[in-house]
Amino acid sequence: MAVSEKDVLHVASLARLAIDPERLPSLVAELNGILAHMEVLERVEGGGGRWEVGGSGSETPMRSDAEGSPVALAIPREAFAPLMRDGFFLVPRLATHEDQGERAP
């Protein structure tokens, strides 16, 4: 599977990234090189073994979920997040989102 310049520009627009037109051919070549390497890795013989996730007996033991005293913050919350609503931090709207209009509270 190869990546085209059109594909790169499409993904860049979705991510709101600007791509320098002079950099586009080298970026396409780099991405296609990565995909070619992944195709080689798919063909590597794995020895037939299975990787196991968890259950090996050597993982760190979990702490109990018993309620205890909460850990105090070094700085009071009001010092770095003075505005809250319904348990959520209120932050200023990003300049890039101002053109989308105000949403219902």
Side-chain angles (χ1 to χ4, degrees), residues 37-75:
H37 184 69
M38 297 307 295
E39 288 176 2
V40 170
L41 290 177
E42 284 180 348
R43 293 190 299 265
V44 171
E45 185 63 40
R50 264 190 84 165
W51 289 88
E52 297 217 11
V53 177
S56 65
S58 64
E59 64 261 355
T60 305
M62 301 286 282
R63 68 170 176 82
S64 67
D65 285 335
E67 288 189 32
S69 59
V71 177
L73 295 173
I75 302 170

